[in-house]
Each structure stands twice: as structure tokens, then as C-alpha cells.
Amino acid sequence: MRVSLNWLKEYVDIDISAEELAHQLTMLGLEIEAIERPGAEISDVYVGKILSIDPHPDADKLVVCKTDIGKAEPLQIVCGAKNMKPGDYVPTAVVGAKLPGGFEIGRRKMRGIESQGMMCSARELGMGEDHTGLLILEGEPPLGADAKTLLGLDDVIFEVSITPNRGDWACMIGVAREVAALFGKTVRIPAITMTESTTPASSLSSVTIVDPDLCPRYIGRVLKNVTIKPSPEWMCRCLIAAGQRPINNIVDITNYVLLETGHPLHAFDYDKLGENRIVVRRAKPGEIMTTLDGEKRTLAEDMLVIADAKEPQAVAGIMGGGDSEVDENTKNVFLESAYFTPASIRRTSRQLGLATEASQRFQRGADPEMAVYAINRAADLMQKLGGAEIAQGLLDEYPNRIPVREVRLRYARCNLLIGTDIPEETQRDALLRLGFERVKSDDESATFKAPTWRPDVSMEVDLIEEVARLYGYDNLRVSLPQVRQSEMVFAPYEAKVRQLRRQLVDQGLTEIYQWTFSCPEDVQRTGLDASYMNMVTLQNPLSEKQATLRSSMIPGLMNNASYNVNHGVADMAVFEIGPVYRPVDGADQPEQRLCLGMLLMGRTEEKHWSSPQRSVDFYDLKGRVEAVLDFFGQDAVFNGVKFGPFQHGQSAVIVTGNQTIGYLGKIAPPVLKAFDIAQTVYVAELYLDPLLSGGQQANQFQEIPAFPPSLRDLAVVVNASVPVADLMKAVYDNGGKNLKQVNLFDIYTGEPVPKGKKSVALSLMFQSGERTLTDEETQKAMDKIVRKLQTAFEAELR
Amino acid sequence: MKEQIEALRSTALEEVAKTSDLRALEDARVKYLGRKGKITEILRGLSQVSPEERPVLGQAANKVRDAISDAIDARKEVLDAEAEQQKAASEAVDLTLPGRRPRKGHMHVINQVTDDILEIFFELGFQVAAGPDVETEYYNFESLNIPADHPARDSHDTFFVKPGVVLRTHTSPVQMRVMEKTQPPVAVVVPGRVYRVDYDASHSPMFNQVEGLLVDEGVTFADLKGTLMMFVHRFFGKDTQVRFRPSFFPFTEPSAEVDISCTVCQGKGCRVCKNSGWLEILGCGMVNPKVYEYAGYDTEKYTGYAFGLGVDRIAMLRHAISSIGHLYENDMRFVEQF
Ligand SMILES: [Zn+2]
């Protein structure tokens, strides 16, 4: 909300600088986000009076004026405007004057005639958009006076951010109340001096509330013989300062009173209301009305409307209807001031997708008492500015009284909660200054009636906050708590996950952090099967590309690789730890699994002057996965599998026990193509939950062997298709109890190994904890191994 | 004979001193001290001198042998040292060439900042808690005193999964999930992803928060101030100014927003702080008794505080990151800067 300081000063005395006031209000919770000085750039613009207007000898569209600015000689000014006449008062910029936008007035000739300044339009002074002619000043302002002050261009505008609980702040009187409370001043509420006619309003109209649950109070007034015309300049200036556009006196007055009191009003054309009366009711199913913005709106049964005898004329508290709109032909006005149930307004506003100044205020909770002042204030102004005859009396229906809340404040409780000793006197005083009324008190507490504009106050803590706020948060004590933890552990695996993340980084992987959004199309592009298409879908996604939550990390990793390849990055070794989601039938919440995704492409190492370059392959990725398994103290087997995203033969499922914990492999060429990547990519996806919950035992010490090991190498030639893991397992199983280690140290194909065969070289370590092994013992074990390999794998010794 | 011996000494010593490498020295040793060397030759020749002269000359010859041997040893030390120096010189490396560093990756800046935040609260005695990204409206709103049709819901532009189920708009639902599990004391910090339907230069639809909750007997607003001031001073440096401004959150009362003196201009006013000199970094307050009612806590016995930090904003401030868009784009040229 925009708050004009000049306007605010009409309600409360302010004797500090704008900056200081902004700071104080901010520290009170009324946050001033920006301070604006609309006329800051303007200088040397004075009140001038046009003495004469003569045609320009050489230009049809220009005139030559003599304008008196209170100096000895009038100024000669060449001008293109047409709306002025001799005797008009206008803002006049002299030579050397500065206008908004860094525009400076110089002495110049226009079509041969010297011009000694410029007479200004509203737009040229930064006062709105009007550029149809000069800004003609009202009345007879003193010649040569500073036009900037006269026009309020010395004003300061605060851009105020208002929290949702403090709807009462969203008006001039609301801000003035806060200023008054802070500095111990009083708020000046404009007096109402209207005169009512002898015709009772009840003889001209009536108000019927059918649904008091949605409209606890409705007040109407009837005003006859109104003259519709533009509003006076002072009112326009206030509206413009608040960021609004003046329309006509009746509409402007309702807007002005809204800005002043915070209470929304609505003016109906009395003669356009069926039977000239008001019925407040829920809409009928399928009822349609056209709102002031020209939209045709279908109403629902739970929406409240203001109807006449026949049909809806306004969506209650949100927007009026076109049929009963006040226009230049309006003679008689029905003025509405009501209190609508906040939740109902909010619901309707959301359903219609229609938020207005009025709806914003009603949904935060209006002041049912301010409703009376506001309608009287508006009537008063319509009489003064539009000559309205005000019918006698209010049509005030108040079937559901809004309860006044009484809340007890225990002084000790206040101090206990805020940890500062604030004297009882100070606590009471703070609340009284804020408009609370003390209804009873005893030694340790006092009970206060909350002001009608404070629907947010209902509990003792609300009062405590008010005390703390006025006392100043910065003045409250500072201490450190004795932090006691629960004995319960809430996230047993978080520390382990953080540790894993650090370890992966230390091993040379870079972490990425992606949005968890995905879409079915990306799942398809990645080649994942239909089970991955079962995704958590958003009802209101930002875009089709972000319409679901990810069911796998692989599409995201591929998108990221694609992005980086497109930006010239060729080498990537990245990982992400994060959730993937899967809907669960019959449950509100999906299954959320913690995943580790890894992607490798390009070279294994950064370029270095001394190191040879090598491209990553399957075993680089497998080694990363094995390191993760080691981290969790888990063993796994890697079984060949057909998995959509991966190329067959370089695609494995990772299994521990009988549980699948992930996949790894080389991305298949069609998938690479779909992501526009022209290089080899390896990806792994691991489910961390089973690894985290697998339980990890502390390593148990093994006695360091006292006797030397006996070492043997073994090289065999087998069919190329024999899995080395099977071969090694056979070695272990047949090596006897003294075989402690088997290491693979070479795989070789090519000459002299026959085609279709490979040579596998192993080093074996035999060791006993009891004695030194003899050569014969070791040889016996070796012979058994070799025999087994010969029979099981047709292995030939090399 | 005697003269011959003395002459041998001076020639030998002279020759040893002249040797320029270990090989020449070895040749000299063989020449004088070897089995067929000059000393041996003289000692053999002693059999032809008179028995009276024999011991005298023998002694003289032995002395010369010892002197030559000493000279060779000494010369060897000198030559050894020279040889080592030469070898070292030939092995000298270009000290300016870059070393072979173990490859190290980069932790994402969001997790670096989150870890640094958590570390401070761990030291103060908080433990970590977590909750799901997809939440029910009950946990995300209702139990936090944000009933349906409450205007505070307007500021939470919510992604819906289905009626009553949302992507959590803040980490606060974990407060209720923790409190449901146990009676006080409770001291937790909750890092996590949160979601809002908001995407522009300064908003990301997914971002990160760290939530804090402390509930026990006698926890005060002063404790809240103390805790967060300590956090700010540890994280941003002890010269950072901190201010607490009244604000509004449905689940805390009293509520506050915390500003720190601008990290860019040190409070003088600049574009980042919109000339105010202050930057808002978190919201906090004393837990609203209505929340305790949902949790089944005794509202008289227990008090507590809660706070929520925007990790993205803090990361952007600490590292002078110009746009929130960079954080989740995962451009390697960005990620590898941290
Ligand atoms: Zn700054």
C-alpha cells in the first residue's frame, strides 16, 4: 500500500523526518519497503496567471501567452495547449527549472518567437497521465508561490508492506493510529457535519439479509439528486498519491473513504435497483452476472451476492455489477457499507479468480463499527462535493453481532514468554495506547477488550506480542537457552547421508542439485519402462515439462548432461542425492525414496601436463558404485540385465541379498540421440534407503599373522565368455582354509592367446595363523584349484 | 731404498689429489695399494735388503701405505660429494610446474551452506529431523494454525497433488511431525526442499529452507534472540548487525523477521538491500499455543521458539550469486566455482 505523508499528517501530528518515521514504523511491524519522493526532481515551478493569449504569427498550432508570476515583467511563453483562457492560473516553469526525467527548461525560440519558460500539464509534473492540456489550478492561489508545495509535489510516499493479520493497517487512519500509539499522540478523525432530509430512508428502500452467516451486518443509505462531476483537486491528489485514477466524485468518494478508513463501500445507482431495494443472499445455482470489469460470471451457490428484488447486482464484498453502475446520468445513489464473513470472501475471490481492493480488506476482517463511520463520512462528502440530499437514517441490519473479544493478560506470563522484565504499568500502557480498553484487573493480571478493528487478537499471546512490539523488539533482553534434546532420534540416517556426500566429493565427483520436477515425456525419452510412468502428478504445474515429480534420477541426469554438452562441457563426473517419488494406491502421500544418481562422461582425469588421457568406461562407474557399497559395508552382485536406458551388455542390476538396490550402465545410443548428446555416457542409480537401514557393524580386529605368507601366481586361458567373478569364486572355494587372498592382476586377449579365448592372471596368497606353510602344502592346494578350473571352465594353464 | 719409498709417497699423494672421478681414484688405488701395486712391490723387495734395515724400511713402507690409503679415503669423500651434487643437479625439476593433485569434486553450494548452518546449531545442541516433500494440508497448514480460507495461505502459492495433498510450502510441517512423536524437550533443525508456484528472476519453484524448533520449560523470546544472534555472528561474522522486526506467521506469536546489515555495502545502502542497509534473512517467533494444542502439549508448562532460514538467499548473499536461476541450473561452470 502507498501512504502519502502529507495526507497522513491530516490525521496525526508527525514531527520527525520521513526516514526516521519509516524506521520507527518498520521496527513496529509496519514495514516500509521503499520511500518515494515523486516531486524530488522538480524545481523552479511557480504559480502563474495567464494575462493574454495571442496567435503565433508563423505557426497555427502555437499561441503566445503573457504569464504573470509575480515578477515586475510577465513572461512571454510560446505554448501548444488549447484548454486555457486568460485569467487561468497554471504551474509555470521558468528558465532553469527542472522537471521529472531530468528535463531542464532553457531560453529558446519557437518558430522565431522567444519563449521564457513553460506552462505545465499534469503529466509534465509527474502527476498522472493527463496531457490533454495545461493543469489549470483551482481558486486564486498566490502568484509566484512554489507550485510544488501547492500541488503536494513535496510529498513523501511510503510503500508499505502489510502482514495478513493486520488488515486494519491498510488505511490512513490505521497507520495514523499506529503512529499515535508509538509517539503518544491522538488520532484526528474527520468530523461529520452533513444534514439529513426529512424523508426517511426506510420509505425509499429496504435491506433484507437472507444469509446472516455470510453477512452479519449490512448498512445502506439513500442519497437523492446527486450531481456527478469530477472530484476536487485535493481529492484527486490523494487518490493519485495512493496509486489510483480519479473517475467521478461519487466513485472517487467511495475509493477515498476506503483509503481513509479501510472500509470498502459500494455505490449503486438507486434507480437501477429492482424495486429500489437490497437483498443479501447466496447466489442461486447457475446464476450469471456481469461484473464492473465487463466479465460475465457464473456464480456458485456458496457465493454471497447483493441482489435487488430480482437479480444479483454485486458479488458481495468483491465487485459490483455493470447493471447498477453509477454513471454520468446517475441521479440517486444507494450507498452500501457492510461486514462480510472473511472466509466466505476469500473463497469466492479465489473461485472467481478476482481479487480487488475490497476483497483484500474484507478477507482480512473488516471493522463492523467502522462500517457506520465510513458510510456517514461518504454521505457527508457526497453532500459537500455532489450536493446530495441525504435521506434520513441508516438502513442498518445487524442480525449477527460480531463479538467483542475480551482477553486476559497475566503480567508474569508476559515476562516469562519474552524473557524480559517489563513493568506492569508499561504493559498496561502499551495496550491502552493501542486502543485496548481495560475492563477488569487484579494484582497479577488485567483483562482487555480488543478494539473492533483488531480481529487478530484473541489470545493472551496476542496481547503479549502487542506489549513486546510497542516496547521494541530491540529492547528485549538477549540470552542463550540451555538446549535439551529429546532422547528420540528423528532422522537417524541424515548424518550418514551428509558423510556420503562429502566422501563422493572427496573422490572427485561434483554434486548437482536439481528440481525434483519431471514429466512423462522425459521418462519416455530415457527409455525407462512403463512402471516409471506411474508418477506423482501436480494439479497446477508451472509447465508441461514440470508436470510431475520424478520417478527416477536418470532423466534429470541426462537433461543436465545435455545442457552442459550444449554449453561446451565435455567431461562430467557428477552425482546427486535426492528423492524420487512413486504414488501409492489408496494413500495420500507417495513413497519417497532417497536415491543416489551418478553420471560419468568424457575423460577420467582433468588434463595434466604429465598424465595420459583416458576416456571413462564401464569400470570407472562400477568402481564408483563399489566404493559406495564399501562405504555402507555392503557386498553386492552385478547381474546383466535388460534395462531401457542402457546398452545391452553394459547394463547391470545391483543386488544385495535378494534386494535390487539399483542399476548402472552405458547409456544406449538411441537415448543419447534423444538427448542430443554425441558422446558416451555412463549412469548409475542407487536406492539408498536399504543401504542406510542395512545396519553396519563395527569392523572387528583380526590378529596380525605371525607367520609369513606363501605367494603363488596362476595364469589360465579360458573362453572369453567366462565371467571372471565365477572363475575367482571357484579358486576361493577350492583353495582350502589357508587361501586368504585372490587378486586379479591381468586380463589379456590377442596373440598368442587363441581367438575367442582370454588369459586371466591371478595372484594367490596362502597363510596360516599357526605355522609357516610348507611348499608341498601350498602346491597341493594349487593343484586342486587347477584341476577344478580345468574341469569347470576347460581352463588351460599358461 | 729409503729415497725410493719417500719418492713413492709424494708421487702417489700427488696423483691421488689430482684424480677427478671415482674411477681414476680406483685406478690409483690399484696402482699403489693393489696386489700388484707399487707398495706391494716394495714390500716384496724388502727380502733383498739387510736384516738390520728390513724393519726400518718395512715400517717406512707401511707408513707410506697408510698415508696413501688415508689420502684415497679423503679423496673419495670429496669425489662422492661432488658426484652426489652432479646427480642432484641432473635431477633438478621445474618447481613451477603444477603438482599432481588428487581429483576433487565440488559439493553443491546449497548443501555447503546448509551444512554450515546445521553445524552451528549442532554445536548448540540441536539434532536433525526430516519429513516428506509431499505433505498433507493438515501438516502443511491446518496444524500450523493456517486453516482453510486463512489469508496467510495467499502468500503460500501452493502446488497441489490432489485435494488435501500439497508439495510442502515450508519445512514447518516437520515441527508438527516431530512434536507428535514426543513430549518436550525438543530441539531440532530441519533442512529440506520446499515448493511454491513462483518462478521469476528472484523465485525458484523449488528452494531450500532450514527450520529450527526448540520447546522446553522456560524458553523465552530472549533465548530466540540470543540463539539467532549467535548464529548470525558465527555465519556472517561478528561485526554483522542484527535486528528483529515484528512480523506475522500464523504458527508463532510473537513473530519476528530478522534483518542483518547488508553484506554488500555494510549497511550504507546499495542495490542489493534496496538502499535500506538491511537484508531480511529469516522469520521466527515463539510457537503459537494453538500449535501446541494440535501437538498435545501443555500450553502453560511449555514454551518454545521456531525459525525458518532461506538457504538460497543466504547462499546468494555469502557468495554474491546474482540470480537464483543459477542455483538449480547445474551448469558445470557454475557448480565448479564453489
Ligand atoms: Zn546494501
Side-chain angles (χ1 to χ4, degrees):
Chain A
M1 188 183 70
R2 291 164 61 86
V3 172
S4 148
L5 218 48
N6 280 354
W7 191 7
L8 185 63
K9 284 175 182 166
E10 292 182 18
Y11 306 95
V12 66
D13 291 334
I14 294 169
D15 36 28
I16 53 174
S17 73
E19 278 72 18
E20 180 59 20
L21 180 64
H23 171 70
Q24 298 273 4
L25 288 176
T26 297
M27 296 311 283
L28 208 56
L30 187 60
E31 192 187 350
I32 311 299
E33 288 185 320
I35 302 176
E36 207 182 286
R37 290 186 156 79
E41 292 178 294
I42 300 173
S43 71
D44 292 296
V45 180
Y46 302 101
V47 173
K49 184 182 182 182
I50 301 174
L51 301 179
S52 63
I53 304 176
D54 296 308
H56 190 290
D58 296 321
D60 293 345
K61 292 193 171 158
L62 297 176
V63 290
V64 181
C65 303
K66 294 266 192 244
T67 302
D68 182 2
I69 59 160
K71 296 275 163 60
E73 287 288 313
L75 302 176
Q76 172 174 292
I77 299 174
V78 180
C79 180
K82 298 212 160 31
N83 66 325
M84 67 289 193
K85 56 185 190 301
D88 277 349
Y89 288 84
V90 290
T92 309
V94 302
V95 170
K98 292 195 174 71
L99 295 180
F103 186 48
E104 191 172 338
I105 304 297
R107 185 183 298 272
R108 59 187 185 138
K109 283 198 166 152
M110 291 174 80
R111 292 289 186 92
I113 306 276
E114 187 185 356
S115 184
Q116 299 166 317
M118 184 176 99
M119 299 182 290
C120 307
S121 70
R123 192 172 77 184
E124 280 160 343
L125 292 171
M127 295 175 65
E129 289 308 304
D130 191 356
H131 195 50
T132 54
L134 300 184
L135 175 63
I136 311 292
L137 302 173
E138 288 178 2
E140 294 186 3
L143 282 185
D146 190 338
K148 200 169 143 176
T149 319
L150 184 83
L151 292 170
L153 289 170
D154 57 347
D155 202 358
V156 178
I157 309 287
F158 286 169
E159 189 59 55
V160 187
S161 157
I162 292 170
T163 53
N165 60 326
R166 293 303 302 268
D168 64 298
W169 271 339
C171 64
M172 303 308 293
I173 289 176
V175 176
R177 277 192 203 116
E178 214 62 25
V179 174
L182 184 58
F183 298 108
K185 304 197 185 270
T186 36
V187 177
R188 287 186 294 269
I189 307 283
I192 288 165
T193 56
M194 65 187 174
T195 48
E196 293 182 330
S197 73
T198 51
T199 317
S202 56
S203 69
L204 301 169
S205 182
S206 71
V207 169
T208 311
I209 301 180
V210 178
D211 291 308
D213 58 325
L214 302 188
C215 177
R217 187 175 203 177
Y218 193 99
I219 309 168
R221 261 195 185 281
V222 180
L223 299 100
K224 306 277 277 183
N225 297 319
V226 182
T227 311
I228 307 286
K229 58 179 181 181
S231 300
E233 201 236 278
W234 63 265
M235 185 177 279
C236 294
R237 202 190 302 156
C238 287
L239 293 174
I240 289 167
Q244 297 195 356
R245 198 164 48 86
I247 296 163
N248 63 45
N249 55 351
I250 300 303
V251 175
D252 291 351
I253 286 167
T254 58
N255 287 335
Y256 178 85
V257 174
L258 168 62
L259 292 167
E260 181 177 60
T261 65
H263 201 88
L265 302 172
H266 186 65
F268 296 96
D269 187 322
Y270 170 84
D271 300 303
K272 293 176 188 164
L273 293 174
E275 297 178 19
N276 309 119
R277 66 188 182 96
I278 291 291
V279 179
V280 185
R281 59 165 171 85
R282 282 183 162 84
K284 292 169 188 160
E287 216 165 9
I288 290 173
M289 73 166 287
T290 305
T291 42
L292 278 174
D293 54 5
E295 291 282 319
K296 219 175 199 176
R297 299 186 186 269
T298 309
L299 306 172
E301 274 174 279
D302 59 344
M303 296 177 179
L304 189 72
V305 298
I306 310 302
D308 57 16
K310 299 185 203 91
E311 47 197 19
Q313 294 298 342
V315 183
I318 299 176
M319 192 178 269
D323 291 350
S324 53
E325 188 179 1
V326 170
D327 58 31
E328 62 271 26
N329 302 316
T330 297
K331 281 237 112 39
N332 305 311
V333 169
F334 181 95
L335 198 56
E336 160 195 301
S337 180
Y339 178 94
F340 300 112
T341 306
S344 155
I345 297 295
R346 183 170 186 279
R347 208 162 44 236
T348 304
S349 161
R350 281 177 71 88
Q351 279 170 15
L352 293 177
L354 185 59
T356 59
E357 287 273 340
S359 71
Q360 298 277 1
R361 285 163 211 248
F362 281 124
Q363 73 179 27
R364 285 172 169 171
D367 177 354
E369 295 313 312
M370 188 55 97
V372 180
Y373 175 79
I375 199 169
N376 289 333
R377 170 75 165 148
D380 190 17
L381 287 169
M382 287 181 188
Q383 187 161 68
K384 291 195 174 73
L385 307 178
E389 294 162 22
I390 303 169
Q392 192 186 55
L394 294 169
L395 300 168
D396 185 2
E397 293 296 316
Y398 197 177
N400 270 14
R401 204 149 264 283
I402 308 295
V404 173
R405 291 202 174 87
E406 290 187 1
V407 187
R408 178 163 174 245
L409 172 72
R410 291 164 298 166
Y411 306 122
R413 182 73 185 174
C414 176
N415 286 339
L416 182 118
L417 189 69
I418 60 181
T420 304
D421 285 326
I422 301 180
E424 295 175 11
E425 179 70 33
T426 312
Q427 295 190 26
R428 278 195 301 271
D429 183 53
L431 291 168
L432 296 176
R433 279 160 73 171
L434 286 164
F436 289 79
E437 198 182 313
R438 180 157 47 139
V439 289
K440 54 181 184 243
S441 55
D442 55 38
D443 283 353
E444 56 189 29
S445 73
T447 301
F448 293 87
K449 199 197 272 183
T452 53
W453 60 83
R454 292 298 304 271
D456 60 306
V457 174
S458 63
M459 295 185 297
E460 187 177 39
V461 279
D462 298 327
L463 298 184
I464 294 172
E465 180 174 59
E466 292 307 285
V467 171
R469 207 163 59 81
L470 220 62
Y471 189 79
Y473 278 11
D474 276 352
N475 299 321
L476 298 178
R477 264 190 50 228
V478 174
S479 58
L480 270 182
Q482 291 289 326
V483 175
R484 295 199 303 156
Q485 280 192 5
S486 169
E487 281 180 22
M488 186 170 266
V489 175
F490 301 105
Y493 307 129
E494 285 284 322
K496 191 82 179 164
V497 171
R498 277 200 305 282
Q499 214 182 325
L500 171 64
R501 178 178 292 127
R502 271 191 212 111
Q503 170 163 320
L504 292 170
V505 168
D506 285 344
Q507 291 172 350
L509 289 165
T510 286
E511 187 187 25
I512 61 173
Y513 200 130
Q514 309 203 77
W515 288 348
T516 49
F517 305 113
S518 181
C519 64
E521 193 219 334
D522 275 351
V523 171
Q524 232 155 19
R525 277 208 297 166
T526 313
L528 289 162
D529 66 46
S531 68
Y532 289 89
M533 297 289 269
N534 180 22
M535 299 168 93
V536 176
T537 307
L538 300 178
Q539 292 185 321
N540 53 335
L542 272 177
S543 75
E544 280 306 308
K545 291 230 57 146
Q546 295 146 7
T548 62
L549 296 185
R550 65 187 178 195
S551 54
S552 160
M553 285 222 167
I554 302 175
L557 288 167
M558 290 305 292
N559 272 323
N560 186 246
S562 176
Y563 172 96
N564 278 294
V565 165
N566 274 325
H567 288 81
V569 176
D571 305 327
M572 279 177 78
V574 297
F575 75 100
E576 177 173 10
I577 298 174
V580 299
Y581 314 81
R582 190 163 60 187
V584 178
D585 281 344
D588 275 345
Q589 285 160 285
E591 181 191 36
Q592 176 171 333
R593 291 188 294 172
L594 191 65
C595 255
L596 164 64
M598 288 192 273
L599 181 145
L600 302 181
M601 70 181 204
R603 288 178 299 245
T604 53
E605 295 291 326
E606 284 161 50
K607 272 187 183 164
H608 191 269
W609 54 272
S610 76
S611 310
Q613 300 290 311
R614 179 171 71 75
S615 292
V616 291
D617 64 20
F618 182 85
Y619 299 106
D620 288 300
L621 183 63
K622 188 181 175 192
R624 302 276 189 189
V625 171
E626 286 168 333
V628 172
L629 294 167
D630 281 351
F631 173 81
F632 288 108
Q634 300 267 352
D635 279 329
V637 290
F638 296 76
N639 295 328
V641 73
K642 271 202 166 136
F643 188 65
F646 298 152
Q647 177 178 318
H648 193 51
Q650 290 206 38
S651 167
V653 57
I654 309 160
V655 179
T656 59
N658 50 10
Q659 205 169 9
T660 294
I661 56 159
Y663 295 89
L664 79 162
K666 180 182 179 187
I667 296 293
V671 177
L672 288 177
K673 205 172 162 207
F675 283 90
D676 197 19
I677 299 175
Q679 62 186 112
T680 314
V681 175
Y682 295 88
V683 170
E685 176 166 61
L686 268 90
Y687 310 121
L688 294 181
D689 299 299
L691 293 169
L692 286 161
S693 60
Q696 199 171 351
Q697 297 218 321
N699 287 344
Q700 302 297 301
F701 170 70
Q702 304 289 315
E703 204 55 64
I704 294 164
F707 302 96
S710 172
L711 303 174
R712 290 285 195 283
D713 285 353
L714 173 66
V716 289
V717 173
V718 291
N719 278 329
S721 63
V722 169
V724 172
D726 293 359
L727 200 73
M728 287 173 73
K729 185 168 185 300
V731 171
Y732 259 119
D733 291 350
N734 293 279
K737 67 176 171 32
N738 291 329
L739 177 59
K740 292 292 166 11
Q741 263 182 37
V742 180
N743 287 321
L744 172 70
F745 72 89
D746 191 35
I747 301 271
Y748 178 76
T749 52
E751 287 296 316
V753 177
K755 228 174 153 104
K757 303 254 175 188
K758 65 184 166 189
S759 158
V760 178
L762 304 170
S763 72
L764 285 65
M765 185 186 87
F766 296 87
Q767 195 166 39
S768 162
E770 289 133 37
R771 63 208 154 75
T772 304
L773 296 174
T774 64
D775 272 0
E776 292 73 41
E777 278 177 297
T778 306
Q779 195 51 51
K780 227 173 125 189
M782 285 297 289
D783 291 345
K784 190 180 170 209
I785 290 168
V786 170
R787 275 197 305 277
K788 180 68 192 174
L789 297 185
Q790 282 165 338
T791 53
F793 302 98
E794 295 168 356
E796 287 168 39
L797 223 46
R798 276 190 82 206
Chain B
M1 189 84 181
K2 183 142 189 175
E3 291 75 33
Q4 205 185 332
I5 290 171
E6 279 311 310
L8 180 63
R9 171 206 286 268
S10 53
T11 358
L13 289 185
E14 200 174 315
E15 197 174 328
V16 166
K18 270 192 194 149
T19 54
S20 59
D21 57 34
L22 289 167
R23 176 168 210 106
L25 188 64
E26 178 61 12
D27 291 347
R29 194 188 64 78
V30 172
K31 180 173 170 190
Y32 294 100
L33 305 180
R35 264 191 304 125
K36 291 175 183 168
K38 301 233 160 141
I39 293 290
T40 319
E41 203 174 297
I42 285 174
L43 289 174
R44 258 193 218 123
L46 285 182
S47 55
Q48 288 155 28
V49 301
S50 67
E52 303 80 59
E53 273 181 316
R54 209 177 286 162
V56 179
L57 284 175
Q59 204 175 2
N62 279 331
K63 255 188 175 162
V64 168
R65 188 185 61 196
D66 290 349
I68 296 170
S69 177
D70 286 352
I72 287 175
D73 286 352
R75 185 62 191 161
K76 185 168 187 301
E77 259 179 51
V78 171
L79 290 177
D80 273 347
E82 275 175 14
E84 269 168 34
Q85 264 175 29
Q86 266 169 25
K87 186 159 185 276
S90 73
E91 285 176 0
V93 297
D94 180 349
L95 301 172
T96 65
L97 284 176
R100 287 185 199 94
R101 296 186 201 185
R103 180 164 177 167
K104 191 164 162 13
H106 303 263
M107 194 188 293
H108 193 275
V109 66
I110 284 289
N111 278 324
Q112 289 187 30
V113 170
T114 303
D115 274 9
D116 291 348
I117 293 170
L118 293 181
E119 214 54 55
I120 294 171
F121 288 103
F122 289 163
E123 276 182 40
L124 288 170
F126 287 75
Q127 60 163 317
V128 73
D133 292 16
V134 182
E135 260 300 1
T136 61
E137 281 195 279
Y138 174 80
Y139 285 107
N140 196 72
F141 292 125
E142 247 174 275
S143 66
L144 295 170
N145 193 32
I146 315 175
D149 297 319
H150 190 287
R153 286 206 185 182
D154 286 344
S155 58
H156 292 240
D157 299 307
T158 311
F159 283 110
F160 281 87
V161 168
K162 56 180 154 183
V165 183
V166 302
L167 299 190
R168 65 177 175 193
T169 57
H170 48 180
T171 40
S172 308
V174 183
Q175 286 186 24
M176 187 52 60
R177 290 188 170 273
V178 164
M179 287 193 278
E180 274 180 355
K181 288 196 184 88
T182 180
Q183 284 287 314
V186 160
V188 293
V189 276
V190 185
R193 297 166 168 77
V194 299
Y195 303 83
R196 306 258 173 113
V197 189
D198 210 347
Y199 185 29
D200 58 35
S202 47
H203 296 92
S204 165
M206 187 192 93
F207 54 105
N208 274 265
Q209 290 185 337
V210 171
E211 185 89 3
L213 175 71
L214 175 70
V215 185
D216 202 344
E217 291 176 41
V219 177
T220 69
F221 195 92
D223 293 335
L224 172 61
K225 281 183 73 175
T227 306
L228 294 178
M229 283 168 89
M230 169 176 268
F231 164 74
V232 167
H233 289 152
R234 287 261 184 100
F235 192 91
F236 291 101
K238 63 176 170 29
D239 295 329
T240 312
Q241 304 286 307
V242 189
R243 74 177 190 186
F244 287 72
R245 262 186 305 111
S247 188
F248 170 72
F249 306 104
F251 39 98
T252 52
E253 188 83 12
S255 301
E257 271 172 345
V258 177
D259 298 339
I260 59 167
S261 49
C262 179
T263 52
V264 177
C265 64
Q266 274 72 46
K268 287 183 206 71
C270 70
R271 200 179 52 81
V272 174
C273 59
K274 289 189 196 146
N275 277 316
S276 70
W278 295 97
L279 298 166
E280 182 190 322
I281 56 156
L282 66 91
C284 62
M286 302 304 291
V287 179
N288 192 314
K290 286 184 179 160
V291 173
Y292 291 143
E293 283 169 18
Y294 279 100
Y297 281 12
D298 183 334
T299 57
E300 276 295 301
K301 188 172 174 193
Y302 298 116
T303 55
Y305 64 64
F307 57 84
L309 290 148
V311 177
D312 304 62
R313 178 154 170 82
I314 290 175
M316 290 171 72
L317 288 176
R318 184 167 84 173
H319 298 284
I321 297 165
S322 55
S323 155
I324 195 167
H326 289 309
L327 290 177
Y328 302 104
E329 205 168 46
N330 297 297
D331 190 316
M332 286 299 115
R333 296 164 300 175
F334 171 84
V335 180
E336 288 175 355
Q337 288 186 30
F338 305 98

